[in-house]
Amino acid sequence: MGLFDIFKKQKSEQAQTLSDGEKLEAEQRERRDLSAGLEKTKEGIFGKLARAVAGKSKVDEQVLDSLEEILITSDVGVDTTVRIIERIEKRVARDKYMNSDELQGILREEIAGLLQDAEKSDEAFGLDFREGEPYVVMVVGVNGVGKTTTIGKLAAQLVKAGRKVYIGAADTFRAAAIDQLQVWADRAGAVMVRQDMGSDPASVAFDTLKSAVANHADVVLIDTAGRLHNKVGLMNELSKIRNVMAKVIPSAPHEVMLVLDGSTGQNAFEQAKQFTQATRVSSLAITKLDGTAKGGVVIGISDQFSIPVRYIGIGEGIDQLRIFDRREFVDALFGE
């Protein structure tokens, strides 16, 4: 059982304790929060689309050109945009006539389909996780994307779900990163293992797993350095951490989570490219979507790298690091 499964199980168990009215109210509140968090992206994509098709009775080449420009400028990415446009062109050619309302419905179907394809790819990751040992997550990402905050929020939610959580402060190159992580660990009620600044990151990871195993922890979150240095250096460093962890738990890490800042648009694509070449990334957490119109990056990165988005950040609160649900995401984007 991975983190995603733990949170889904917790959500299901919580729902069982609510009355039908309370359940409906909770669902409506979650939808409102998600819609508000994605408001800028929704306006960026669909506000522009509405203006582009205003007064149009059918979808023609000019409308498709406008849609292509809207998707690219919303950081959906060129390759993913081309795929979407090509599929819509086939529908237009087949059906001969399509109005602007139908265009939005087809766009919705295509986005949901791309996100579903990425989710399916996760089934082939092949975790070798055994009950009774800690579930180990190595968290990667550059400085400033919200990596430390994401770890803290995950830890808090896991502790709330009744899990015993250990955090390894393996980003030993910045004292501020270690101190910030300690604040989050204390706030969350998690145990943090740390060494002095400049220590070997692999040594911190090793000590964290040894302690977690000895104390019967449920989940281990390993922070890593956020420097996007040369590809070889990054690969060597992450490989060393993985190899050392495997000496304690042979199947560790069970998950490698890449944290990306959704507001950086195309820079997030480049970061995803660098990290997926350096190590096997199995899940994505995309932060800061509430402050940007570039939320299309969720669609493009998920599609281009065939990696499932597991969490999205839509605000500062602990509960605003949300489990990603593609149906809820698409509904929020389309204003439902």
Side-chain angles (χ1 to χ4, degrees):
M1 178 182 289
L3 294 191
F4 195 61
D5 301 299
I6 291 172
F7 289 131
K8 284 197 295 185
K9 181 180 178 183
Q10 180 195 14
K11 189 173 182 179
S12 176
E13 289 173 347
Q14 288 175 338
Q16 291 174 9
T17 66
L18 302 176
S19 67
D20 289 343
E22 290 171 331
K23 196 180 300 183
L24 179 60
E25 184 180 341
E27 290 173 355
Q28 290 174 338
R29 183 171 60 251
E30 285 191 356
R31 283 197 293 268
R32 286 195 301 270
D33 288 347
L34 181 59
S35 181
L38 296 174
E39 185 62 37
K40 290 185 179 180
T41 293
K42 185 165 57 176
E43 172 58 26
I45 296 178
F46 298 106
K48 292 176 183 176
L49 179 60
R51 291 189 287 274
V53 301
K56 295 278 187 179
S57 60
K58 63 177 292 186
V59 174
D60 54 21
E61 188 173 337
Q62 185 179 0
V63 169
L64 291 177
D65 286 344
S66 297
L67 175 59
E68 183 174 13
E69 181 182 348
I70 290 165
L71 292 174
I72 289 174
T73 56
S74 299
D75 285 289
V76 170
V78 174
D79 292 340
T80 299
T81 294
V82 168
R83 286 183 64 186
I84 292 172
I85 295 298
E86 286 177 347
R87 292 183 185 187
I88 292 176
E89 285 176 334
K90 287 179 182 177
R91 298 276 287 268
V92 172
R94 185 187 67 205
D95 298 340
K96 303 304 180 184
Y97 181 89
M98 183 186 300
N99 62 36
S100 56
D101 288 338
E102 290 174 310
L103 173 63
Q104 192 168 104
I106 291 170
L107 182 58
R108 175 187 184 134
E109 290 174 14
E110 294 300 334
I111 290 173
L114 292 175
L115 293 171
Q116 183 178 34
D117 289 344
E119 282 185 7
K120 287 178 180 176
S121 71
D122 184 47
E123 296 172 4
F125 190 65
L127 294 179
D128 181 25
F129 172 63
R130 294 175 296 180
E131 288 290 343
E133 67 182 14
Y135 185 83
V136 182
V137 183
M138 183 167 77
V139 185
V140 301
V142 303
N143 294 333
V145 296
K147 183 161 55 75
T148 302
T149 302
T150 297
I151 291 171
K153 290 179 178 180
L154 283 173
Q157 292 180 22
L158 285 162
V159 171
K160 185 178 179 181
R163 307 290 172 168
K164 190 173 185 178
V165 181
Y166 271 60
I167 298 174
D171 181 358
T172 60
F173 296 93
R174 294 184 305 136
I178 299 174
D179 292 340
Q180 183 186 7
L181 198 59
Q182 184 69 66
V183 170
W184 270 109
D186 293 342
R187 186 185 305 172
V191 177
M192 189 169 113
V193 177
R194 58 185 292 175
Q195 294 181 8
D196 294 335
M197 179 181 157
S199 299
D200 181 7
S203 175
V204 177
F206 181 85
D207 286 351
T208 304
L209 264 64
K210 288 284 283 186
S211 182
V213 169
N215 292 283
H216 308 290
D218 297 305
V219 179
V220 177
L221 305 172
I222 300 291
D223 189 16
T224 59
R227 304 166 302 151
L228 192 57
H229 39 312
N230 71 77
K231 201 179 303 176
V232 174
L234 176 64
M235 188 177 298
N236 289 343
E237 187 171 293
L238 295 179
S239 295
K240 183 179 178 182
I241 293 173
R242 294 185 68 134
N243 292 338
V244 165
M245 288 195 291
K247 292 179 180 179
V248 183
I249 301 175
S251 55
H254 303 104
E255 184 174 339
V256 179
M257 181 187 300
L258 173 60
V259 181
L260 298 169
D261 178 348
S263 69
T264 61
Q266 290 304 302
N267 281 340
F269 275 88
E270 182 59 30
Q271 290 165 26
K273 179 180 177 181
Q274 294 289 332
F275 277 98
T276 53
Q277 289 175 348
T279 191
R280 192 176 184 188
V281 175
S282 57
S283 64
L284 299 172
I286 301 183
T287 65
K288 307 181 186 180
L289 290 176
D290 55 311
T292 181
K294 298 181 178 183
V297 73
V298 172
I299 303 162
I301 288 179
S302 181
D303 172 48
Q304 291 302 305
F305 295 94
S306 296
I307 301 171
V309 177
R310 288 307 191 199
Y311 311 95
I312 55 173
I314 56 169
E316 294 296 322
I318 285 177
D319 59 346
Q320 288 177 313
L321 179 69
R322 296 277 295 272
I323 294 176
F324 180 74
D325 183 305
R326 66 182 178 84
R327 295 177 187 83
E328 291 178 354
F329 180 80
V330 172
D331 286 347
L333 279 184
F334 283 83
E336 294 187 8

